[in-house]
Amino acid sequence: MTKEEFEKHLELYGIAGKDKELLKRALDFAEKIHEGEKRLSGEEFITHPMAVALKLAKLKMDIPTIAAGLLHDCAEYQSSALKEIKRDFGEEVSFLVDGVTKVDRVKATGFDRALESVKKMFLALAEDIRVVIIKLMDRLHNMETAEWLPEEKRKRIAQETLMLYASLAERLGMWNVKAELEDLSMKFLYPKEYEIISVELKKRAPERERHLKKILPLVETELQKENIKIIEINYRTKHIYSVWQKLHRYEGDWSRLSDLIALRIIVPDVKSCYAALGIIHKLWKPVPGKFKDYVALPKPNGYKSLHTNVFTEEKITIEFQIRSEEMHKEAEAGIAAHWAYSEAGKPKEGFKKIGKKFNWISQLQEWQKELKKENTTSEELLEALKIDFFKDRIFTLTPKGDVIDLPRGATPLDFAYHIHSEIGNHATGARINGKLVSFLMELKSGDIVEIITQKGKKPTPEWLSLVKTGLAKNRIKRALRIFPKGSFIHPEAKIIEMKIYGKNRVGFIKDITSVYSKNKINIQNLISARGGNEETPIKITFVQKNPDQAEKIKNKIEKISGVKKVTYALK
Ligand code: MN
């Protein structure tokens, strides 16, 4: 792509005047930094940031984000570039570029058991949802051009894309991006399966087309008869990766894949959605158990639509997705739809400042709800884009890339004890990002921490003041034999692990933890990463100071709304 073509595309996306001038300036800047650099395809490197910026423009992201898309690899190649970007393009653009550079540190390797933590760390380092979106577009373009990479690297990147990026796209409701990332990853990781499925889908295409040609006009006339305005009817075949996953579930039986095509009907409003659904069900019998009302009960990431499968002919079923124009826009672009800019350069929809920090999924859910209601100033808009769900946690890495999730203020000794008590007990020093540091050093998100151990080394009582987490304190006390294993402070004191089952909601964890604080109990460890539903409990570890304390706490927690079951046991 040439610079002229790039400018033409910007105009196509409605970017002109001052905005276009700024982006041209950013392009010139990036071009200078990347001068002489080539991509493995032989193209000039600058074609990559240009492609990323255009993807962002297509999503209708704001101008600072598109500019950051052009500049996103500059700081990586020339460390002084960030200062110049701040000088020439301002604080906001340089903040976004810096965020992109920081998240580059996060790598998901192999089948990481701490994948959930990796995702959180990614978000915590990004600090701003727009950084995540820039990274998604960056990864999408790298995957589109991955055929030029050496095989081993290509596979590693594809694996990471599947595990980390596709799932982040899903959480942000960016379905198209998710589907594209999954298909590209599958093509490189499982080329044989990819080939078989795409060939099979192609073979089945004519039959589908024939079928659709019969159905589409019928749907149109029936809807028109009932005066339901059709904004758009379109259809799309399922993407290859999702067909593959379904085939796994159906043991490779293609005949059970009923919903290879989804017919999408877009109507003006919610009322028309239900009316259209009624008409479809009158025309054809619905498949039992396949009707899903995501309008009344949206998916956790905010997705809304009515889904139903119907028997159109003997043995042939078709999936219908019915949604309003607004739902459609959101389903296509996900979270990005919310700050699509109007011509005037002002955000179309407002944001509300996010106050509380919680489990990031429910946070996003809440957020999406708020988006619709509020109209706010651009200052509040910027505030809302910040990811501050994890203000109190930091995400650090072992040299191998495992994520250790710690409270803010944790030190290298906390890190060591969280890996294993033996590593803690024999620690003699620590390196952060390759530099030798003292045990007093506070860790930051993204730090790579290496603990140096020595045989025969033992903890000292001073260590108790160097650590932040209860787990590390207990392990040090145990090593110092301040009390025998299993009993603490008081002969009756015991470490208790309590499990709380229930439906997570906003304020759930806070309500639970406040029971502890009211009873003056320090929580030593709280695990809620995947908790908060009926199967996976929230786990809380604490020291019981008298024999019936756990029972008392249990009774109080059981009264909290949403709590289904509470159990506890000695740890
Ligand atoms: Mn890049």
Side-chain angles (χ1 to χ4, degrees):
M1 181 183 291
T2 64
K3 278 169 92 171
E4 291 70 36
E5 283 168 326
F6 177 77
E7 283 176 39
K8 281 226 178 74
H9 273 90
L10 289 183
E11 277 162 29
L12 275 177
Y13 296 130
I15 298 167
K18 256 179 25 203
D19 290 344
K20 196 175 124 190
E21 287 313 308
L22 183 126
L23 294 177
K24 270 167 72 178
R25 222 156 36 82
L27 177 57
D28 289 340
F29 184 98
E31 201 176 34
K32 224 187 275 158
I33 298 237
H34 296 301
E35 204 188 338
E37 248 176 86
K38 292 251 196 279
R39 302 204 87 210
L40 285 171
S41 63
E43 282 181 299
E44 293 295 327
F45 186 85
I46 194 71
T47 54
H48 166 63
M50 279 201 279
V52 172
L54 285 182
K55 284 177 190 296
L56 292 163
K58 198 175 171 193
L59 285 172
K60 292 200 171 12
M61 297 298 294
D62 56 17
I63 301 299
T65 309
I66 302 171
L70 282 167
L71 300 165
H72 81 269
D73 276 324
C74 288
E76 190 72 37
Y77 285 94
Q78 197 177 306
S79 49
S80 61
L82 201 62
K83 259 193 212 146
E84 291 166 35
I85 290 171
K86 195 168 175 180
R87 185 194 63 207
D88 294 355
F89 302 97
E91 187 95 35
E92 193 178 356
V93 174
S94 83
F95 168 77
L96 293 171
V97 173
D98 191 32
V100 173
T101 314
K102 275 192 207 146
V103 296
D104 276 336
R105 264 187 252 162
V106 186
K107 303 256 183 305
T109 48
F111 288 92
D112 200 334
R113 61 201 143 77
L115 193 57
E116 206 58 30
S117 291
V118 174
K119 284 180 208 161
K120 283 189 192 164
M121 173 170 168
F122 188 97
L123 289 169
L125 282 178
E127 286 185 76
D128 186 310
I129 299 271
R130 292 175 298 174
V131 171
V132 183
I133 295 172
I134 297 169
K135 270 314 283 183
L136 285 172
M137 295 305 114
D138 176 39
R139 181 51 64 102
L140 186 56
H141 186 248
N142 282 337
M143 287 297 286
E144 283 166 358
T145 50
E147 64 197 281
W148 301 99
L149 292 174
E151 194 188 346
E152 203 180 310
K153 189 169 182 198
R154 185 169 64 214
K155 288 209 157 150
R156 183 175 59 70
I157 288 181
Q159 183 73 60
E160 186 180 73
T161 302
L162 203 54
M163 294 196 311
L164 178 60
Y165 289 87
S167 106
L168 284 171
E170 181 179 7
R171 300 248 169 137
L172 296 179
M174 301 170 79
W175 297 104
N176 288 343
V177 176
K178 173 187 180 260
E180 280 175 69
L181 289 173
E182 283 178 345
D183 277 3
L184 287 164
S185 306
M186 182 183 171
K187 192 168 99 187
F188 298 131
L189 286 170
Y190 310 98
K192 230 171 65 200
E193 289 83 350
Y194 184 88
E195 183 62 19
I196 291 169
I197 290 172
S198 46
V199 166
E200 189 65 36
L201 283 174
K202 257 183 225 134
K203 250 194 343 213
R204 286 159 190 264
E207 187 197 343
R208 272 198 317 264
E209 300 278 329
R210 216 172 37 243
H211 201 58
L212 279 166
K213 269 191 196 133
K214 273 195 276 178
I215 284 173
L216 273 172
L218 200 55
V219 174
E220 277 170 350
T221 23
E222 288 301 312
L223 289 180
Q224 268 153 14
K225 258 198 240 163
E226 303 288 328
N227 283 323
I228 297 166
K229 194 178 162 215
I230 301 168
I231 288 171
E232 196 185 321
I233 295 192
N234 58 44
Y235 65 92
R236 190 172 339 175
T237 46
K238 265 202 180 326
H239 69 285
I240 295 173
Y241 184 76
S242 77
V243 171
W244 188 41
Q245 280 186 314
K246 284 223 158 164
L247 277 174
H248 267 309
R249 230 174 297 149
Y250 298 146
E251 286 145 5
D253 182 358
W254 279 83
S255 68
R256 289 172 66 192
L257 273 177
S258 56
D259 46 0
L260 280 181
I261 2 166
L263 237 152
R264 205 171 272 157
I265 306 176
I266 296 147
V267 291
D269 47 30
V270 175
K271 213 177 95 196
S272 316
C273 290
Y274 288 102
L277 176 77
I279 292 163
I280 307 279
H281 281 178
K282 214 159 70 186
L283 276 171
W284 300 290
K285 235 187 216 125
V287 179
K290 283 280 191 176
F291 169 60
K292 306 241 163 61
D293 186 346
Y294 296 123
V295 174
L297 295 164
K299 283 194 184 178
N301 59 15
Y303 176 80
K304 281 185 186 171
S305 209
L306 297 174
H307 287 194
T308 186
N309 283 33
V310 296
F311 298 100
T312 52
E313 266 173 34
E314 207 182 340
K315 278 195 167 178
I316 296 179
T317 64
I318 275 197
E319 181 182 331
F320 280 91
Q321 298 178 355
I322 308 163
R323 50 174 88 144
S324 72
E325 210 176 0
E326 200 193 337
M327 296 174 204
H328 182 59
K329 233 175 27 196
E330 265 190 60
E332 293 291 288
I335 208 146
H338 292 296
W339 60 89
Y341 266 51
S342 66
E343 262 91 286
K346 288 226 173 92
K348 271 182 197 154
E349 290 174 79
F351 290 77
K352 202 194 169 199
K353 196 172 165 176
I354 309 162
K356 292 168 215 147
K357 48 198 175 321
F358 266 112
N359 170 329
W360 71 287
I361 302 167
S362 59
Q363 180 82 66
L364 282 177
Q365 241 176 298
E366 269 310 293
W367 186 13
Q368 296 219 330
K369 266 190 249 152
E370 293 296 337
L371 294 175
K372 305 221 175 73
K373 284 186 264 167
E374 304 287 328
N375 278 310
T376 46
T377 64
S378 61
E379 208 173 293
E380 281 171 307
L381 168 87
L382 286 180
E383 195 54 41
L385 295 173
K386 286 190 193 139
I387 301 169
D388 60 357
F389 321 149
F390 316 116
K391 238 196 241 154
D392 303 331
R393 307 293 299 176
I394 54 162
F395 301 90
T396 54
L397 294 161
T398 68
K400 276 190 192 155
D402 285 331
V403 175
I404 307 291
D405 171 354
L406 294 164
R408 190 162 291 277
T411 64
L413 277 175
D414 284 300
F415 181 93
Y417 277 103
H418 272 255
I419 297 177
H420 199 278
S421 44
E422 284 304 296
I423 294 189
N425 289 340
H426 297 124
T428 57
R431 281 197 195 95
I432 298 181
N433 304 325
K435 261 191 222 143
L436 222 48
V437 297
S438 95
F439 282 156
L440 281 166
M441 188 74 155
E442 251 187 47
L443 301 177
K444 289 193 307 294
S445 264
D447 280 346
I448 299 167
V449 186
E450 190 190 338
I451 301 295
I452 305 155
T453 56
Q454 201 179 74
K455 249 195 190 160
K457 173 81 189 168
K458 278 190 186 121
T460 63
E462 288 79 66
W463 281 20
L464 285 168
S465 64
L466 295 180
V467 296
K468 168 105 182 167
T469 59
L471 181 107
K473 274 189 185 136
N474 276 330
R475 289 189 167 164
I476 294 169
K477 282 181 190 167
R478 218 172 263 183
L480 292 171
R481 305 206 182 278
I482 288 179
F483 29 68
K485 197 174 173 174
S487 82
F488 289 83
I489 310 158
H490 189 273
E492 242 98 48
K494 295 269 162 32
I495 293 193
I496 302 283
E497 185 180 68
M498 189 165 273
K499 290 181 183 170
I500 298 142
Y501 298 81
K503 207 166 174 328
N504 206 343
R505 57 172 166 81
V506 175
F508 193 53
I509 293 175
K510 199 173 146 221
D511 288 349
I512 291 168
T513 52
S514 72
V515 172
Y516 288 87
S517 51
K518 270 182 204 149
N519 286 277
K520 300 208 166 52
I521 296 172
N522 289 326
I523 291 174
Q524 310 231 335
N525 198 16
L526 186 150
I527 302 170
S528 75
R530 295 176 213 201
N533 58 44
E534 265 97 325
E535 294 88 46
T536 34
I538 294 166
K539 286 186 209 160
I540 292 177
T541 316
F542 64 97
V543 177
Q544 172 175 260
K545 290 178 194 136
N546 57 59
D548 52 358
Q549 206 168 26
E551 187 63 28
K552 268 191 202 153
I553 297 287
K554 172 179 184 259
N555 291 337
K556 281 188 184 141
I557 288 176
E558 276 172 342
K559 289 192 188 108
I560 293 172
S561 108
V563 172
K564 293 262 147 49
K565 194 173 86 182
V566 181
T567 63
Y568 65 87
L570 274 179
K571 208 176 170 188

